[in-house]
Amino acid sequence: MKPKITESHLDTVIVNTPEANELAARAVLAAALPAHAKLDFDRATVRQQVRHRNTHGTADLALHLWRGKRLQALVLIENKIDAGFTPDQPQRYRISRDAHIADGSAPLVATLLISPSIYIGGSRLKDDFDGALAYEAILPLVHEDDRAAVETAIGRASSPYEPVPVEAVMSFFNDYAQIVAKAYPDLRIKTNPNSGNARPEASRTIYFDTRASGFRSYPFLLKDNKAASIRVSHQCWDSSAPSASVKLMLDGWAAHLAKATPILQPALADKSLYIRSAGRSLAVVADTVRLDNMRSASAQQQAIEQALKKLQLIRDTWNGMETTLVKAATVLGR
């Protein structure tokens, strides 16, 4: 099991370090703007989750270097421990950087990736940033109370997951999306989280946007005293289950499977739907024909459309189950 540490925790450490230690601020400056490493400044401030300019999303951190009241340099920072990049993430940093330059936000603006050295060494996208700075380089500059967190993050890191794209699999997903858009426009597929729309050979699951696809969210179904989230997917091939399937998953409810199933199953039985666990979730499931993600989706269109019809059935059934779900929540004390 990987050591427990979050990027948000490391964000806080990175905020505190350059603000308190000029050497740390200069390390960031030298990594992002090496030609200006000797820039004259007397104060550093860092903001978290700064909205990008001219594009969507946010920079994890923005380092501001000041001389008096004049901003001398701005560095937009992406902090990664071991997570992969979301689609076009480095490009969005560049767009935002260029917008800041055009707006005259600061005389100098740059982008920077801060990560463990093993991540930087293994990332194919690090060169899309103006510079990269390893956790190991700033570790000696971090306050002693925060060093354990940085060391834990370094220990957690492994080569980042940037999947090797397989053209046949990417073609399958693209064709699948076209089938949905043309024949089932009421169902909306989620955006591929992999940079460059990459799909590896092991990519066999299509996830749907629950809200845009019309799946109801019931605020009385709780997990940890908050509304439990739902996910919806088409698992084209599931080696851990008896069959490929489409399913709705209620997060955190697998622990209540034994008590919830007798309450929920009668509402599903005449529709060929059933209840089972899916990881930590309770799932409403319909079995489907196994699909080959290395073959054209158009050649498997009939099986895909049958699965999508079953997904619509799950949605319509789920949306009409409020009374039954209230009963289950009441019995389980959720």
Side-chain angles (χ1 to χ4, degrees):
M1 181 179 294
K2 288 190 174 185
K4 292 184 177 180
I5 190 72
T6 64
E7 285 177 356
S8 62
H9 186 170
L10 263 294
D11 284 350
T12 302
V13 172
I14 295 169
V15 167
N16 294 337
T17 302
E19 289 186 338
N21 189 327
E22 181 184 341
L23 291 177
R26 290 206 171 275
V28 172
L29 175 65
L33 292 158
H36 302 276
K38 295 184 179 181
L39 179 74
D40 189 17
F41 66 89
D42 56 24
R43 180 167 55 99
T45 59
V46 185
R47 291 174 54 203
Q48 293 180 260
Q49 296 301 312
V50 176
R51 186 166 297 281
H52 281 315
R53 297 274 183 94
N54 287 4
T55 186
H56 63 280
T58 59
D60 286 336
L61 302 160
L63 171 69
H64 299 77
L65 299 177
W66 305 85
R67 180 162 180 76
K69 295 182 178 180
R70 180 177 174 77
L71 181 60
Q72 301 289 85
L74 169 65
V75 181
L76 303 175
I77 300 171
E78 174 64 22
N79 175 34
K80 294 283 191 189
I81 297 177
D82 59 357
F85 286 99
T86 56
D88 303 320
Q89 194 171 22
Q91 181 182 1
R92 286 185 271 120
Y93 271 84
R94 295 198 304 272
I95 292 171
S96 187
R97 174 202 62 195
D98 292 347
H100 277 287
I101 292 172
D103 292 345
S105 300
L108 300 169
V109 185
T111 64
L112 182 71
L113 173 65
I114 294 186
S115 299
S117 60
I118 192 171
Y119 189 110
I120 293 171
S123 174
R124 293 179 288 111
L125 299 177
K126 66 179 183 298
D127 292 337
D128 290 344
F129 292 84
D130 293 318
L133 180 63
Y135 285 178
E136 290 85 345
I138 61 172
L139 179 60
L141 307 175
V142 171
H143 190 279
E144 60 183 4
D145 292 344
D146 292 325
R147 286 178 188 169
V150 179
E151 290 171 346
T152 299
I154 293 170
R156 176 183 172 84
S158 59
S159 295
Y161 176 67
E162 292 171 15
V164 177
V166 176
E167 288 296 331
V169 178
M170 294 171 69
S171 177
F172 170 84
F173 275 84
N174 290 337
D175 290 349
Y176 185 107
Q178 290 179 17
I179 292 170
V180 173
K182 291 179 181 178
Y184 298 86
D186 56 316
L187 298 174
R188 303 290 180 85
I189 296 175
K190 277 192 167 184
T191 302
N192 180 2
N194 298 327
S195 181
N197 202 33
R199 293 282 186 180
E201 184 176 352
S203 186
R204 300 187 179 95
T205 306
I206 294 95
Y207 289 97
F208 291 80
D209 185 316
T210 55
R211 181 176 296 179
S213 298
F215 289 82
R216 286 187 65 181
S217 178
Y218 294 103
F220 54 82
L221 298 176
L222 302 179
K223 176 195 172 188
D224 298 331
N225 297 318
K226 297 180 181 179
S229 63
I230 60 172
R231 293 182 298 145
V232 175
S233 71
H234 180 184
Q235 192 91 25
C236 299
W237 173 32
D238 188 350
S239 59
S240 64
S243 172
S245 64
V246 288
K247 56 184 177 285
L248 176 150
M249 295 160 281
L250 181 62
D251 187 35
W253 275 58
H256 309 297
L257 184 68
K259 292 182 179 179
T261 299
I263 301 170
L264 303 179
Q265 189 60 51
L268 309 175
D270 63 343
K271 298 179 174 64
S272 299
L273 306 177
Y274 63 96
I275 302 289
R276 68 169 171 85
S277 63
R280 64 186 182 186
S281 299
L282 181 150
V284 179
V285 184
D287 290 338
T288 59
V289 175
R290 175 174 164 176
L291 301 177
D292 183 353
N293 68 341
M294 297 289 285
R295 288 178 59 216
S296 165
S298 58
Q300 306 172 80
Q301 183 163 347
Q302 183 176 0
I304 290 172
E305 291 203 22
Q306 289 174 350
L308 295 172
K309 288 178 182 177
K310 290 182 178 181
L311 191 57
Q312 288 177 323
L313 176 62
I314 290 175
R315 178 193 60 198
D316 296 343
T317 302
W318 173 261
N319 289 354
M321 287 179 62
E322 181 172 2
T323 300
T324 302
L325 291 169
V326 167
K327 181 179 178 181
T330 302
V331 168
L332 296 170
R334 306 300 293 170

